[in-house]
Amino acid sequence: GERGRTSQTELRFMSKGRGALDSSILHIANNMATIARNGYFKSPVLVASPEVDCPPVKIASANNVRLVQDAMKAVIYEPSGTAHKAFSPPIWPEKEVTLFGKTGSTENSLFCCFARAADGRCLAIAVVLETEAHGNEVAAPLAGDVLRACGMLGYLPEPAEPGEQASAGE
């Protein structure tokens, strides 16, 4: 294709997650945050000061956002979900913290997600490991460890103790 343009073949592989990873981890995490904000994109800010005014911009309809969120929730909670095994048993009861995720298998192992707590806290993360493995095999379990650590540090509610995990439907 032309310089700077993605060919139809490359787009086909990108949509299936089998091509080259042409995004940064910051872009992936911000995409998760946009979905978590119900389709409102907000430019990422990497410094706390000086404060930058970045008003959110609506980029997706409520129906499209709901469709994507439902699919991402199924990735975690449905037995056939690609990350179900990595999050079973669940870190939190679903009513306390709901997880939404997406696995990926590019030339890397990829998992991105967001966690929405019932108290309003929300956290988006992306894990990319430079290893040829499916996202559910390496990146998703590591993301689970990151989410647990975020709960222990107060960014999300305290996770349940191992062996005391609540079922996903509680």
Side-chain angles (χ1 to χ4, degrees):
E2 295 175 36
R3 185 178 176 168
R5 296 199 58 187
T6 304
S7 74
Q8 290 296 322
T9 301
E10 290 171 312
L11 285 174
R12 178 171 53 100
F13 288 123
M14 289 172 146
S15 67
K16 292 182 180 179
R18 295 286 183 198
L21 179 63
D22 292 333
S23 184
S24 74
I25 198 159
L26 175 63
H27 288 109
I28 296 167
N30 199 40
N31 287 341
M32 292 297 99
T34 299
I35 297 166
R37 288 189 295 264
N38 296 318
Y40 283 91
F41 173 82
K42 191 171 181 181
S43 294
V45 177
L46 298 179
V47 294
S49 178
E51 192 170 315
V52 178
D53 184 27
C54 298
V57 176
K58 183 77 168 171
I59 62 169
S61 72
N63 287 339
N64 287 344
V65 169
R66 191 171 28 262
L67 179 68
V68 171
Q69 288 178 350
D70 287 348
M72 291 176 66
K73 192 173 168 185
V75 165
I76 305 285
Y77 295 105
E78 293 295 322
S80 60
T82 55
H84 179 73
K85 184 177 176 183
F87 290 92
S88 183
I91 302 169
W92 297 273
E94 187 178 337
K95 67 180 182 184
E96 186 178 342
V97 177
T98 306
L99 302 176
F100 303 80
K102 173 69 177 97
T103 57
S105 305
T106 60
E107 72 276 7
N108 302 299
S109 178
L110 167 69
F111 182 76
C112 51
C113 68
F114 66 94
R116 180 177 289 142
D119 65 9
R121 288 181 276 180
C122 193
L123 179 70
I125 64 169
V127 175
V128 178
L129 296 155
E130 293 181 356
T131 183
E132 289 192 30
H134 295 289
N136 63 341
E137 295 171 350
V138 182
L142 181 57
D145 292 342
V146 170
L147 289 168
R148 279 182 198 85
C150 289
M152 292 168 51
L153 294 169
Y155 293 101
L156 291 168
E158 184 88 18
E161 291 293 322
E164 298 178 8
Q165 304 291 344
S167 68
E170 280 187 17

